[in-house]
Structures are given as structure tokens and as C-alpha cells.
Amino acid sequence: MFRWVFFIIAVTALVMLTSAVVEFQWIGWCLSSFSCVGWAYFAYVDKDTPRFLMELTYFSAALWGVYNWIGIS
């Protein structure tokens, strides 16, 4: 059940990140980071270390995207 929720969040983030509305892309990055945390949790529970590390890498990239879009100094 929750895997589908995180999948829908990931697809929503993808739509927001590929939209032409730049003002909302930071929301897409936030949703993406949230989705990555969920998928990393499921990978950890499944004892799938490579997928867990991949999701943590995507999570850090998504946080970098939020940082870039919001412009935190």
C-alpha cells in the first residue's frame, strides 16, 4: 500500500520538475526527497543494500535541488 503512495508522490514530483512553472519546481524537489526517503526505507526493510544506497544518493541530490531552487545561503 505505502509503496504505491510513494510511487504516486514520485510521479507527482516528476511532473512538477518537468513543468514549465519554475516557481513550483522547489515543491517537486521536496516531494522527490520525501519519496526517496520512503523508497530508501523499503530498500532497507528488504535488505537491498544497493537500492538503499541509490535512494540515499537520490535523496541527497533532491535536497541539493531544494537548496538550489530556494537559494538558501
Side-chain angles (χ1 to χ4, degrees), residues 52-73:
F52 175 72
L53 294 174
M54 178 190 68
E55 291 298 337
L56 287 182
T57 302
Y58 289 159
F59 173 68
S60 62
L63 287 181
W64 184 254
V66 172
Y67 175 81
N68 282 334
W69 282 108
I70 292 179
I72 298 173
S73 300

Side-chain angles (χ1 to χ4, degrees), residues 12-71:
T12 304
L14 177 67
V15 169
M16 294 187 90
L17 287 170
T18 58
S19 73
V21 184
V22 176
E23 294 82 18
F24 294 126
Q25 288 184 348
W26 70 272
I27 298 171
W29 284 116
C30 289
L31 289 174
S32 179
S33 62
F34 182 69
S35 173
C36 287
V37 168
W39 284 109
Y41 169 75
F42 292 128
Y44 179 78
V45 169
D46 294 343
K47 294 180 175 44
D48 187 352
T49 304
R51 185 169 53 118
F52 175 72
L53 294 174
M54 178 190 68
E55 291 298 337
L56 287 182
T57 302
Y58 289 159
F59 173 68
S60 62
L63 287 181
W64 184 254
V66 172
Y67 175 81
N68 282 334
W69 282 108
I70 292 179

